[in-house]
Amino acid sequence: MNARPSPSEERLLAYAAGTLSPPEAVVVSACLAMRPDADAWVRRLQGVGGVILDDLDPMPLQQDALSRAMARIDADTGEVTAAPPLNDMPELPEPLRRYPLGRWRKLGGGVEVRHVHAPRDGDTRVILLRIQPGQATPRHTHGGVELTCVISGAYAAGNQPYFPGDFEEADEDTLHQPRVISDEPCLCVAALDGQIILDGWFGRLIQPFVRL
C-alpha cells in the first residue's frame, strides 16, 4: 500500500471478507480496478481467507433452510418494472459498466448527479457525480458514510488532492467542500448513505432543493 488516498484497511478487510454493504462494495471494486496495488493486497487477503475456510469443519444447514429460501421466492410479487437506461459510459471502470445508469440531473453550480442502478442497502445507494472545472460542491457534512472514488479529473478537499483512482471516506464528523482542480470535469462514483447536510444558513435555506 502507498501514501495515495486509499480505502482504509478496515474497509478492504470487510470487502475481502464479503461483509461490506453492496453499494460500498461497488465503489471499492471500482477503486480496485484502477489501483492494481490495492487490488493485489485484497487478493492476498482473500487467499488467506480461503485457506482458513478450507481448514474449518463443515457446518450443517438448518433444517428449515430450504423452506425459508422458497418462502422468500414466493414472496416476490412478480411485478414488472420498466428497465432503466443501459450503461452508455464505456470510460467507467469495468465494475461500474455492469450497471444501468439513470439520467444526468443538474444540481446547479456546475454539479450533476446520475444514479447507478446497483444494489442498494437501506438508504445507501451508488451515484455518479460530475463537477465542472473550477466549481465546488456546497460546504457540507453527511447524514451517514460517504465513500468516493475519483474516475477522471481531480478535486481537492482542504489541502488534500484526489486524483483518478484515489478514494475518500467521509462521515458525520467530516465537514468539507470538494473543489475541482483539474482542467477537465471531475467524475466520481460515490456510495452515499442518506443525504448530505449543507453548512451555514444559506445551506439550510437551499437544503430541500439539493437531493442526491
Side-chain angles (χ1 to χ4, degrees):
M1 305 293 290
N2 57 32
R4 290 176 58 189
S6 304
S8 64
E9 290 191 359
E10 179 184 18
R11 199 78 59 183
L12 291 177
L13 284 169
Y15 178 83
T19 59
L20 206 58
S21 74
E24 293 180 347
V26 169
V27 177
V28 171
S29 66
C31 176
L32 296 179
M34 304 177 69
R35 297 285 298 275
D37 56 332
D39 185 57
W41 192 76
V42 168
R43 290 182 184 277
R44 287 196 294 272
L45 287 177
Q46 292 172 329
V48 171
V51 171
I52 293 174
L53 287 176
D54 286 342
D55 291 340
L56 295 177
D57 293 330
M59 295 290 292
L61 291 173
Q62 296 182 3
Q63 291 184 350
D64 63 343
L66 178 60
S67 61
R68 287 190 290 111
M70 296 303 295
R72 289 184 179 181
I73 294 174
D74 291 340
D76 185 0
T77 61
E79 295 179 356
V80 177
T81 57
L86 297 178
N87 194 310
D88 58 356
M89 298 184 67
E91 68 271 28
L92 295 178
E94 189 278 330
L96 292 178
R97 296 199 300 269
R98 306 171 188 173
Y99 301 108
L101 303 173
R103 295 180 178 179
W104 284 111
R105 181 164 53 90
K106 294 183 178 181
L107 298 181
V111 181
E112 298 174 279
V113 64
R114 189 175 196 183
H115 284 278
V116 179
H117 293 277
R120 295 175 63 114
D121 182 26
D123 198 27
T124 306
R125 67 275 187 205
V126 182
I127 60 173
L128 292 174
L129 283 169
R130 186 167 62 193
I131 309 172
Q132 297 301 313
Q135 300 297 314
T137 68
R139 184 177 171 87
H140 65 276
T141 183
H142 309 83
V145 172
E146 180 187 63
L147 306 182
T148 304
C149 177
V150 179
I151 298 172
S152 60
Y155 74 86
N159 296 322
Q160 176 63 61
Y162 293 88
F163 298 99
D166 287 351
F167 191 92
E168 183 182 14
E169 301 187 20
D171 57 21
E172 300 94 331
D173 297 324
T174 304
L175 179 62
H176 62 175
Q177 187 176 21
R179 67 186 187 282
V180 175
I181 57 175
S182 55
D183 293 332
E184 61 177 304
C186 184
L187 177 65
C188 302
V189 61
L192 183 65
D193 180 15
Q195 291 291 327
I196 63 172
I197 301 173
L198 303 184
D199 187 46
W201 69 267
F202 183 70
R204 291 191 293 272
L205 181 66
I206 66 173
Q207 180 76 63
F209 306 100
V210 180
R211 307 290 294 178
L212 298 181

